[in-house]
Amino acid sequence: AFEYGAKIPVHEGYLTLGGGAAHTASIFSKMELRTAILTRVGDDEYGNQIALKLREKKIYTDLLQKDHKIPTFLSFIVCISKKEHEHVAFTYRGANMNLEIREEDLRKIDASWFYISSLSGEDWLKQVKTLVYYAKNKNIKVAWNPGGMQIQAGKNELDDILDKIDVLI
């Protein structure tokens, strides 16, 4: 619990790249796999820094979308215990809520796998279906790590795509 209005001292802080898509793309790139990312950031300083960091990690960013109205997503993470990795995350989804997955963008990707992290916009189901159906039509394998919204939707809502997923995390 946090006391309302309190100022809580911390011993260290830092700003870093994060999120399921960025973390996974970074790991794949570090493994020397050709990696691209399809995500949306704000047209702001944080969005520019994210694009720069991704390029530094040799991640293809031509599909990175910039939102001119909504700022970049941001999370503030409070580590409760480093030893047990306990934490609390305050998240602002920002521009990521407006991610647009379009087949014409997917055609620009020469991939053997798609990795889909959790999606948070109102159209998340439509976005996942676009990715999965496109992948299956092009013989691209799909790994999916659904988030809270997807899990809450339940099996009945996801039934028509679950059998098309090669790896469900």
Side-chain angles (χ1 to χ4, degrees):
F2 295 96
E3 180 185 340
Y4 181 74
K7 291 188 179 183
I8 302 166
V10 296
H11 301 289
E12 68 178 299
Y14 55 93
L15 185 63
T16 187
L17 183 63
H23 282 303
T24 307
S26 295
I27 290 166
F28 290 160
S29 181
K30 193 177 264 191
M31 294 170 60
E32 298 184 5
L33 299 171
R34 286 180 314 124
T35 306
I37 190 168
L38 174 55
T39 191
R40 190 175 184 97
V41 297
D43 188 14
D44 52 30
E45 186 59 31
Y46 289 130
N48 292 335
Q49 287 298 314
I50 288 168
L52 180 64
K53 283 280 190 207
L54 293 168
R55 283 192 296 275
E56 285 173 3
K57 292 175 180 282
K58 298 180 179 148
I59 297 167
Y60 179 78
T61 59
D62 284 10
L63 300 175
L64 187 94
Q65 300 172 8
K66 290 226 175 170
D67 196 307
H68 301 288
K69 295 180 182 174
I70 300 174
T72 300
F73 53 89
L74 181 68
S75 293
F76 171 70
I77 301 172
V78 178
C79 292
I80 308 300
S81 167
K82 278 188 177 182
K83 189 175 180 181
E84 286 87 28
H85 302 287
E86 293 292 330
H87 65 277
V88 176
F90 298 85
T91 60
Y92 166 68
R93 299 285 181 197
N96 211 26
M97 295 288 284
N98 290 336
L99 177 66
E100 297 175 11
I101 299 173
R102 299 176 297 255
E103 196 168 316
E104 59 265 22
D105 292 331
L106 298 177
R107 282 189 220 114
K108 298 174 187 175
I109 304 170
D110 177 22
S112 53
W113 278 90
F114 282 172
Y115 170 86
I116 307 170
S117 65
S118 64
L119 298 174
S120 53
E122 286 182 24
D123 289 340
W124 69 262
L125 183 58
K126 177 184 171 207
Q127 307 290 10
V128 171
K129 285 182 177 182
T130 299
L131 282 164
V132 171
Y133 293 147
Y134 179 85
K136 288 303 137 185
N137 285 336
K138 300 294 181 181
N139 293 317
I140 299 170
K141 293 185 186 287
V142 177
W144 187 28
N145 187 358
M149 290 178 83
Q150 290 79 53
I151 292 167
Q152 286 177 352
K155 185 180 180 303
N156 289 343
E157 188 75 31
L158 305 174
D159 223 16
D160 62 328
I161 58 171
L162 285 175
D163 64 338
K164 294 168 183 56
I165 304 297
D166 297 285
V167 177
L168 181 63
I169 303 166

